[in-house]
Amino acid sequence: MTTAPAPTSATAVAEPTTRTGWLPRILLANLVVEVLIVVTGGLVRLTGSGLGCPTWPECVPGSYTPVPHQAEGWHRYIEFGNRTLTSVVSIAAIASVYAVWRWAARRRDLLVPAIGVLAGVGVQAVLGGITVRTGLNPVTVAAHFLVSMCLVAASAYLVFRAPEPAGPRALTVHPLVERLGWATCAVAAVVLLLGTVVTGSGPHSGDADEPARFGFDPRTISWLHADAVMLFVGLVVAVWIASRLTASTARPGRAWAAVFAVTIAQGVVGYTQYLTGLPWVVVLVHMLLATLLVVALTRAMVALRSSAPR
């Protein structure tokens, strides 16, 4: 009587590796749709389609979808498309929580942000309804965008942290560099906040017929935003140089070089939109780059620590 051969070590790890291979794919898909809904949300605002569906949760009274001969015209399709994408984002967030629970159940560093993203999607849905029902109040519109940036950051953290071991990781740079990195993140938050005020004070405030604005002088707010960006650029350069000088590997330096590259591209687009009268296509690119900057900044902060356990 023969017996089956004992599995080799390679065979033993093949199945778990195959199964957990779904985890990074699901987390990456979640990040992609989080970025995409920011872009489509920007398209809604920049085309004046914020009230393309004038009520919530219905599109129009008595219907959850646009209806023929609706007064909002083509704007209804853009707004409804953004609402529809919310369902895709919700599915991706649920899938991320399941994937982390299924294949990394003991990793609290992944489970907590995954649950946070799912909760944030629910908050965004409610906040979107409040935004519509308040006639696109610029405060709620700004909050809607800023919460999206938080969800992008959390989703990016999941993508970049998941391949690494659980538990504490050693710093690969001088401790002051990490502190400077956190200060850079804080200034980035201020830059994003001022960016929402700039948009809420300009022509692209959400509705084509009855725009709701903060009432600030657009030129003054724009220059204040630009000053904050200059401070941010200086901090990015400082962290980049410090990483190259103190890091035990090349990983932090490359990550912060990417942050610098996205920042410069963002600055070029920002000045272009300002000098060309804020064409909505250029403003939309500016919003996309802002989202990619959050992704790059999250990656750079993760890269300041070793990819091996302490």
Side-chain angles (χ1 to χ4, degrees):
M1 182 176 180
T2 60
T3 58
T8 64
S9 58
T11 304
V13 300
E15 184 183 355
T17 301
T18 301
R19 286 189 285 109
T20 56
W22 281 102
L23 178 61
R25 299 174 188 174
I26 292 173
L27 296 180
L28 179 59
N30 176 64
L31 174 59
V32 170
V33 295
E34 287 289 354
V35 172
L36 184 60
I37 199 168
V38 173
V39 176
T40 59
L43 184 64
V44 169
R45 181 169 190 172
L46 296 172
T47 57
S49 304
L51 294 178
C53 286
T55 187
W56 186 91
E58 296 176 318
C59 181
V60 292
S63 175
Y64 287 92
T65 60
V67 297
H69 311 298
Q70 189 175 324
E72 288 74 22
W74 58 271
H75 294 292
R76 66 187 186 270
Y77 298 116
I78 296 179
E79 167 63 6
F80 181 72
N82 183 248
R83 291 190 183 189
T84 302
L85 188 58
T86 301
S87 301
V88 179
V89 172
S90 301
I91 293 171
I94 293 171
S96 296
V97 172
Y98 172 78
V100 171
W101 173 81
R102 177 70 176 80
W103 293 305
R106 296 183 179 180
R107 292 197 57 175
R108 186 179 179 85
D109 61 327
L110 298 182
L111 191 57
V112 171
I115 294 175
V117 170
L118 179 58
V121 171
V123 171
Q124 280 290 71
V126 175
L127 189 56
I130 295 173
T131 300
V132 171
R133 287 183 173 272
T134 56
L136 305 182
N137 185 290
V139 174
T140 59
V141 173
H144 202 43
F145 174 79
L146 294 174
V147 172
S148 290
M149 291 294 100
C150 292
L151 296 182
V152 168
S155 299
Y157 175 83
L158 289 170
V159 169
F160 299 124
R161 187 68 178 91
E164 301 180 347
R169 298 174 301 139
L171 271 174
T172 59
V173 295
H174 192 282
L176 289 177
V177 179
E178 187 181 45
R179 296 175 191 172
L180 190 60
W182 283 116
T184 305
C185 293
V187 174
V190 173
V191 169
L192 292 173
L193 174 61
L194 290 174
T196 63
V197 178
V198 170
T199 305
S201 302
H204 303 301
S205 55
D207 184 62
D209 299 321
E210 298 181 3
R213 300 190 177 112
F214 279 113
F216 299 119
D217 176 52
R219 181 181 177 87
T220 301
I221 295 299
S222 296
W223 281 108
L224 184 61
H225 175 62
D227 291 341
V229 169
M230 291 177 186
L231 174 59
F232 175 75
V233 172
L235 288 171
V236 169
V237 172
V239 180
W240 180 20
I241 294 175
S243 297
R244 289 179 60 86
L245 292 176
T246 67
S248 56
T249 68
R251 182 185 179 212
R254 289 196 297 264
W256 282 94
V259 175
F260 179 72
V262 177
T263 302
I264 293 302
Q266 178 73 317
V268 171
V269 173
Y271 275 105
T272 299
Q273 69 175 11
Y274 180 79
L275 297 174
T276 56
L278 302 176
W280 70 265
V281 174
V282 181
V283 178
L284 187 63
V285 174
H286 195 57
M287 291 186 65
L288 172 61
L289 286 173
T291 310
L292 297 181
L293 180 59
V294 171
V295 174
L297 197 56
T298 304
R299 172 176 175 258
M301 289 302 299
V302 172
L304 291 179
R305 290 185 175 269
S306 173
S307 59
R310 181 181 298 174

